[in-house]
Amino acid sequence: EPEVTQTPSHQVTQMGQEVILRCVPISNHLYFYWYRQILGQKVEFLVSFYNNEISEKSEIFDDQFSVERPDGSNFTLKIRSTKLEDSAMYFCASWGQGSDTQYFGPGTRLTVL
Amino acid sequence: DQQVKQNSPSLSVQEGRISILNCDYTNSMFDYFLWYKKYPAEGPTFLISISSIKDKNEDGRFTVFLNKSAKHLSLHIVPSQPGDSAVYFCAASVSNTGKLIFGQGTTLQVKP
């Protein structure tokens, strides 16, 4: 069964450093999303991406964040200068025609020290 | 901004009995509702969904009920199994491609 994959599974970085989180959505899907879950809190929407552009973003998704689909398979989330409060699980999701739902990847745990 | 709320942080039921998880929402623009199951250190796994034109959707042991007038949905699991023990999130969106707004989650424990 097709699935969304994410790398790395765990990323540790120093405050102020740039990180890139990578996702490979399901191959025929057209809509892509990033969500995050801070420990003990709810899953929060960050951004959605369709037709090579951002379709919607939350107030969390400020100028420090960017997304890109550099080729036909990868979907990346970049945080330019990480803060302590960026520590969270980051989930990528994708949706395709005929899907009941957005399918989520296993997540990347980002730890900012 | 708690547009989707799950007021019970935890629920414990005996194996074989019914588990009922509840969810309330405030945004009347939501027209698509979903339940996800999540284990620690894993991504949410889709369980079942319902659109606003329906009031019930069933898939095996899982049934979702939607009461639009009360802005309330519930997930029934019958019979409950120990393997159902996990965190359950309800989520809502304005369309099936739109962003998902999640509740806080309910931890279900099914005791053998």
Side-chain angles (χ1 to χ4, degrees):
Chain A
E1 186 175 312
E3 59 182 16
V4 177
T5 59
Q6 290 184 243
T7 54
S9 56
H10 191 188
Q11 174 89 47
V12 181
T13 190
Q14 295 291 325
M15 189 170 58
Q17 294 297 302
E18 174 183 288
V19 294
I20 297 176
L21 310 183
R22 291 183 165 81
C23 169
V24 179
I26 294 172
S27 62
N28 62 345
H29 282 190
L30 302 174
Y31 290 79
F32 312 110
Y33 311 82
W34 284 101
Y35 294 81
R36 78 173 186 189
Q37 185 182 27
I38 295 171
L39 187 64
Q41 297 186 22
K42 61 170 69 178
V43 177
E44 301 174 287
F45 168 78
L46 291 177
V47 65
S48 57
F49 192 85
Y50 170 72
N51 202 24
N52 281 320
E53 59 183 28
I54 291 174
S55 49
E56 189 173 2
K57 59 183 181 179
S58 71
E59 59 273 13
I60 303 167
F61 194 89
D62 61 22
D63 291 344
Q64 293 301 311
F65 291 85
S66 62
V67 289
E68 196 178 31
R69 189 156 162 80
D71 52 43
S73 59
N74 290 284
F75 179 51
T76 63
L77 174 69
K78 182 193 290 186
I79 309 175
R80 267 180 266 282
S81 178
T82 50
K83 306 183 187 69
L84 295 176
E85 55 264 36
D86 293 328
S87 295
M89 283 288 289
Y90 287 80
F91 297 105
C92 172
S94 69
W95 181 92
Q97 198 70 30
S99 293
D100 287 335
T101 181
Q102 297 174 24
Y103 288 91
F104 282 77
T108 292
R109 177 171 297 284
L110 176 64
T111 302
V112 183
L113 302 176
Chain B
D1 178 20
Q2 295 198 56
Q3 297 187 66
V4 179
K5 289 178 71 171
Q6 292 174 256
N7 290 315
S8 299
S10 63
L11 175 68
S12 181
V13 300
Q14 208 63 39
E15 180 180 7
R17 305 296 289 269
I18 184 171
S19 295
I20 300 176
L21 296 101
N22 294 303
C23 180
D24 297 296
Y25 62 95
T26 56
N27 189 343
S28 56
M29 298 296 291
F30 289 144
D31 66 358
Y32 198 61
F33 304 89
L34 309 93
W35 284 95
Y36 285 86
K37 177 179 178 181
K38 188 179 179 304
Y39 295 110
E42 292 184 14
T45 301
F46 171 70
L47 276 177
I48 193 167
S49 63
I50 188 167
S51 74
S52 59
I53 61 172
K54 294 184 174 182
D55 54 19
K56 178 182 172 181
N57 188 24
E58 204 169 340
D59 183 3
R61 295 186 297 114
F62 302 93
T63 303
V64 56
F65 295 91
L66 176 62
N67 182 333
K68 288 186 288 295
S69 60
K71 293 191 176 70
H72 178 83
L73 65 153
S74 61
L75 174 69
H76 292 207
I77 307 173
V78 182
S80 302
Q81 301 172 353
D84 296 329
S85 297
V87 180
Y88 289 77
F89 290 95
C90 70
S93 68
V94 171
S95 71
N96 61 355
T97 61
K99 65 182 180 187
L100 294 175
I101 306 297
F102 283 84
Q104 304 95 314
T106 297
T107 301
L108 173 66
Q109 182 186 29
V110 180
K111 297 178 180 177

